[in-house]
Amino acid sequence: MTHFLSALFFTIFQTVALLQRAHSYGNAHTCRSYCGNLTVDYPFAIQSGCGHSGYRDLLFCINDVLMLHISSGSYRVLDIDYAYESLTIDDPHMSTCSSIVFGNRGNGFVVERWREPYLNPTPDNVFMLLGCTAESPLFQGFPGKHLPCRNVSGMGCEEYYGCPGWNIIRRKKVGLVYGSGPPDCCAVSFEAIKAINLTKLGCQGYSSAYSLAPLRVAGPHGWSYGIRVKYSVEGSDSFCKACEATGGSCGFDVNDFSSLCMCGKGNSTSNCDSSVHSASHRRTRSLMDALAGFVGCIAIQKLSVTLGL
């Protein structure tokens, strides 16, 4: 009998504890989503009204493939690093070490003006612009050997020319001046030109590589190809922290883009413990109390039957 009572009360305790945790933390990841093997969490989202308003209409999950869409085109998201606030994206028409793609088919990278404070390639991301014309804005105002091309984080065109992809391309031999035409490759940082628009720059293609400090890989065969993008959230994140600490998910009003704390079926303009609770949130707590009471009643009834009362 003693063993039975202990087991019974332990079961009651466990059930009530689970109900309490479900209430306290069940809303904490209302907006968290998954696409393939990638976690989509704040400040990103693939549901309307979730995440930070600066990243609205940015990520889309298509057949378990996470895609990022900006004004220059769509890119596959390879990784999101929440610890270092960066994501890695891939342009299918971008040149790599094994394949040089001409024909002005690459997306490049151009972000909308209103997203610029939040989303830009990292400083150690090198863009190697390929097959640009002499009339390209890249070379205007740079007479003679004073080209804007330079290495970025130890990566540049001189090494990139050693890639096997160039074996099928008849590369121009260009010296210190470009009277006979600019070089086939010009490496620049994103900060130098603020946008990689192949049409406006008069280039036939591009490649992009990034460095993961403190790693330094010798040679272009070992470079990481893709676009490494740094993201940030302007202003204080105290609202979001307070929201998540009280079991909510950070979101925004889809009409005026003001911050909202998503508390289950209701929203709050501060946090889930504030006086601005929705009726649905209060109903959730009432339901939890009712369930706990129901479990307690069943337990007492069983105990009465066992003891013959």
Side-chain angles (χ1 to χ4, degrees), residues 292-302:
F294 178 70
V295 170
C297 288
I298 292 177
I300 292 171
Q301 184 181 17
K302 287 186 177 180

Side-chain angles (χ1 to χ4, degrees), residues 5 7 51 63 128 136 138 163 171 177 180 210 213 271 286 291 299:
L5 289 175
N63 296 327
M128 290 168 287
S136 169
L138 284 171
C163 285
R171 188 167 69 84
V177 296
S180 60
Y210 58 91
N271 59 67
S286 299
L291 287 172

Side-chain angles (χ1 to χ4, degrees), residues 24-186:
S24 299
Y25 305 112
N27 300 328
H29 302 302
T30 301
C31 286
R32 175 176 289 178
S33 299
Y34 300 90
C35 184
N37 62 344
L38 296 179
T39 300
V40 183
D41 210 345
Y42 185 85
F44 304 109
I46 52 179
Q47 307 110 298
S48 178
C50 286
H52 188 276
S53 61
Y55 297 103
R56 65 185 182 274
D57 303 324
L58 180 71
L59 298 183
F60 301 88
C61 189
I62 303 172
N63 296 327
D64 283 335
V65 174
L66 189 61
M67 301 295 294
L68 177 145
H69 184 77
I70 53 177
S71 60
S72 54
S74 295
Y75 310 77
R76 179 170 183 166
V77 180
L78 304 178
D79 177 65
I80 303 178
D81 191 330
Y82 293 99
Y84 290 93
E85 297 185 334
S86 62
L87 48 81
T88 305
I89 60 176
D90 175 65
D91 179 351
H93 300 301
M94 184 181 72
S95 296
T96 61
C97 197
S98 59
S99 175
I100 306 299
V101 181
F102 278 15
N104 198 20
R105 290 186 294 158
N107 289 325
F109 190 90
V110 182
V111 69
E112 296 88 343
R113 283 289 180 90
W114 64 271
R115 289 198 202 273
E116 287 179 358
Y118 310 107
L119 200 70
N120 277 298
T122 59
D124 60 359
N125 202 123
V126 59
F127 287 93
M128 290 168 287
L129 302 169
L130 311 177
C132 304
T133 65
E135 293 73 31
S136 169
L138 284 171
F139 309 121
Q140 303 311 306
F142 295 94
K145 64 180 181 180
H146 301 291
L147 297 179
C149 316
R150 64 194 71 250
N151 284 0
V152 179
S153 295
M155 297 176 289
C157 291
E158 288 307 312
E159 286 187 293
Y160 189 58
Y161 283 140
C163 285
W166 288 100
N167 293 339
I168 59 174
I169 302 293
R170 182 170 294 180
R171 188 167 69 84
K172 295 191 291 289
K173 302 296 183 182
V174 180
L176 295 179
V177 296
Y178 58 94
S180 60
D184 278 330
C185 175
C186 179

Side-chain angles (χ1 to χ4, degrees), residues 201-234:
L201 292 173
C203 302
Q204 287 294 307
Y206 82 110
S207 182
S208 175
Y210 58 91
S211 173
L212 293 177
L215 299 177
R216 287 291 183 269
V217 180
H221 298 83
W223 291 351
S224 297
Y225 290 90
I227 304 175
R228 187 81 166 170
V229 181
K230 180 73 175 176
Y231 69 83
S232 62
V233 177
E234 281 197 327

